[in-house]
């Protein structure tokens, strides 16, 4: 007689828990004690249990797939976040279906969401870092489990975001602590919430220190824009510290300063944001701010699963703190160096 494959009830019996608890562990549900989770995972490994995803979809009326809506971009932050979401979902037993859009407007987002719903996804994560996404999200069906990432903090919907203001404050305060009297800021695009948060953090740090607030230097996210802004800043002898809204802007600024004979950090200190993999290999290695994309992905998935499982009392907002990464692009200004 053929030996049957292990079932969920076998896992539950070996682990000494209910089959509902096994299901929660398989779904990555946050409301499971760590000791219980480890016991269930050990039973799964011992028995060689593999979930029957087709059967589970028939029972639950949904697939083990999470739909993601994201802008079609190679920018480091959104791309890293998407990769972290895919990895985190896989660890929780979910596949990810990505719907990419050129523009985060109502028509584009609605079209992708409708495609996800047609495939009966378990829930939807929208990476919505720009203002144009806000109206589209508010007009989506209210019964769809939905989490926005880096979305509009003013809108009443589940949101997980990096604390952009805290990261910018840390960068600015780091430069002030080195002895600089003020810090110039090369900002990102005006319609990005990331940009707005970083401007807010930069300004608040200067205000708290009683430092002069220089004019904002607007840009986009590209190294080319950083280079153009750096050409202007390099010609201003009073500029001794620059905080850029991302590391690619910093790369362009570094190139322009080098061409004008302004040494970093001897003459001007520079701090970026994102900690791209190449930042440690810039000349000089770039001091920057590192967002925790893995933590954002985990929090997003936990918030989404709470909605899927109809768990009440879950968080509707979560803000993830970034970390300052000091390297060799910051020093005291020339007039204050011993």
């Amino acid at each position: 007689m053929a030996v049957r494959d292990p079932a969920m009830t076998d896992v539950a019996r070996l682990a000494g828990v209910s089959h509902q608890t096994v299901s929660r562990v398989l779904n990555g549900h946050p409301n499971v004690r760590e000791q219980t989770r480890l016991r269930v995972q050990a039973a799964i490994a011992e028995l060689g249990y593999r979930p029957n995803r087709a059967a589970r979809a028939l029972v639950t009326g949904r697939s083990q797939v999470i739909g993601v809506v994201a802008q079609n971009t190679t920018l480091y932050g959104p791309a890293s976040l998407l990769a972290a979401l895919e990895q985190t979902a896989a660890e929780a037993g979910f596949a990810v279906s990505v719907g990419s859009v050129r523009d985060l407007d109502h028509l584009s987002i609605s079209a992708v969401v409708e495609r996800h719903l047609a495939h009966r996804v378990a829930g939807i994560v929208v990476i919505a870092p720009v203002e144009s996404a806000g109206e589209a999200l508010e007009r989506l069906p209210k019964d769809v489990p939905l989490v926005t990432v880096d979305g509009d903090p003013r809108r009443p919907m589940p949101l997980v975001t990096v604390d952009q203001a805290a990261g910018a404050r840390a960068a600015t305060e780091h430069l002030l602590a080195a002895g600089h009297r003020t810090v110039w800021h090369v900002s990102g695009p005006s319609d990005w919430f990331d940009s707005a948060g970083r401007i807010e953090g930069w300004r608040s740090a200067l205000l708290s220190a009683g430092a002069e607030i220089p004019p904002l230097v607007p840009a986009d996210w590209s190294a080319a824009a950083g280079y153009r802004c750096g050409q202007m800043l390099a010609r201003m002898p009073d500029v001794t510290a620059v905080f850029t809204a991302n590391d690619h802007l910093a790369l362009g600024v570094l190139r322009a300063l080098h061409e004008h004979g302004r040494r970093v950090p001897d003459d001007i200190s520079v701090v970026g944001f994102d900690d791209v993999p190449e930042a440690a290999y810039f000349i000089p290695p770039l001091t920057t701010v590192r967002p925790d994309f893995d933590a954002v992905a985990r929090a997003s998935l936990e918030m989404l699963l709470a909605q899927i499982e109809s768990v009440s009392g879950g968080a509707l907002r979560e803000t993830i703190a970034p970390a300052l990464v000091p390297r060799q692009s910051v020093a005291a200004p020339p007039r204050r160096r011993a």
Side-chain angles (χ1 to χ4, degrees), residues 147-148 151-161 299 303 314-320:
V147 171
T148 59
D152 189 345
R154 302 164 298 184
R155 295 183 184 270
M157 57 185 60
L159 171 67
V160 179
T161 185
M303 194 177 291
L316 292 179
R317 295 291 171 97
E318 188 155 353
T319 304
I320 308 298

Side-chain angles (χ1 to χ4, degrees), residues 113-114 117 136-146:
V113 168
E114 287 301 321
L117 294 178
L137 294 173
E138 285 193 345
R139 294 168 66 178
L140 293 179
K142 302 302 181 186
D143 59 345
V144 177
L146 174 73

Side-chain angles (χ1 to χ4, degrees), residues 41-177:
Q41 290 172 340
I44 289 170
E46 182 176 337
L47 294 172
Y49 171 70
R50 294 174 62 86
N52 185 331
R53 303 203 182 279
R56 288 167 72 186
L58 289 172
V59 171
T60 61
R62 59 174 169 80
S63 68
Q64 290 296 112
V65 177
I66 291 172
V68 174
V69 182
Q71 195 168 23
N72 186 11
T73 178
T74 58
L75 289 172
Y76 178 75
S80 298
L81 180 56
L82 180 57
L85 278 170
E86 290 179 310
Q87 179 63 35
T88 303
E91 291 170 357
F94 284 84
V96 169
S97 173
V98 180
S100 297
V101 295
R102 183 164 59 182
D103 299 305
L104 285 167
D105 55 27
H106 172 62
L107 289 177
S108 300
I109 291 177
S110 297
V112 173
V113 168
E114 287 301 321
R115 288 202 299 272
H116 283 324
L117 294 178
H119 289 89
R120 304 176 79 180
V121 296
I124 296 174
V125 176
V126 182
I127 303 174
V130 296
E131 292 180 359
S132 59
E135 181 184 351
L137 294 173
E138 285 193 345
R139 294 168 66 178
L140 293 179
K142 302 302 181 186
D143 59 345
V144 177
L146 174 73
V147 171
T148 59
V149 178
D150 283 347
D152 189 345
R154 302 164 298 184
R155 295 183 184 270
M157 57 185 60
L159 171 67
V160 179
T161 185
V162 172
D163 194 335
Q164 310 290 350
R169 278 195 300 272
T172 306
E173 289 169 354
H174 183 66
L175 289 161
L176 294 173

Side-chain angles (χ1 to χ4, degrees), residues 91-275:
E91 291 170 357
F94 284 84
V96 169
S97 173
V98 180
S100 297
V101 295
R102 183 164 59 182
D103 299 305
L104 285 167
D105 55 27
H106 172 62
L107 289 177
S108 300
I109 291 177
S110 297
V112 173
V113 168
E114 287 301 321
R115 288 202 299 272
H116 283 324
L117 294 178
H119 289 89
R120 304 176 79 180
V121 296
I124 296 174
V125 176
V126 182
I127 303 174
V130 296
E131 292 180 359
S132 59
E135 181 184 351
L137 294 173
E138 285 193 345
R139 294 168 66 178
L140 293 179
K142 302 302 181 186
D143 59 345
V144 177
L146 174 73
V147 171
T148 59
V149 178
D150 283 347
D152 189 345
R154 302 164 298 184
R155 295 183 184 270
M157 57 185 60
L159 171 67
V160 179
T161 185
V162 172
D163 194 335
Q164 310 290 350
R169 278 195 300 272
T172 306
E173 289 169 354
H174 183 66
L175 289 161
L176 294 173
H180 298 274
R181 293 183 177 177
T182 191
V183 177
W184 289 70
H185 180 46
V186 180
S187 71
S190 60
D191 61 337
W192 281 64
F193 301 119
D194 293 3
S195 296
R198 293 169 198 181
I199 292 169
E200 176 192 343
W202 163 71
R203 282 202 174 118
S204 69
L206 294 177
L207 282 170
S208 297
E212 177 187 354
I213 301 178
L216 189 69
V217 183
D220 55 34
W221 295 122
S222 69
Y227 177 75
R228 290 191 296 271
C229 296
Q231 292 278 350
M232 178 192 73
L233 294 170
R235 296 185 177 96
M236 302 169 64
D238 291 341
V239 174
T240 66
V242 179
F243 163 50
T244 65
N246 76 352
D247 292 346
H248 289 100
L249 287 168
L251 178 61
V253 168
L254 290 173
R255 169 69 182 270
L257 294 176
H258 172 75
E259 289 181 356
H260 284 264
R262 303 291 298 276
R263 299 166 300 166
V264 177
D266 294 351
D267 300 320
I268 298 183
S269 293
V270 178
V271 176
F273 203 112
D274 276 346
D275 195 27

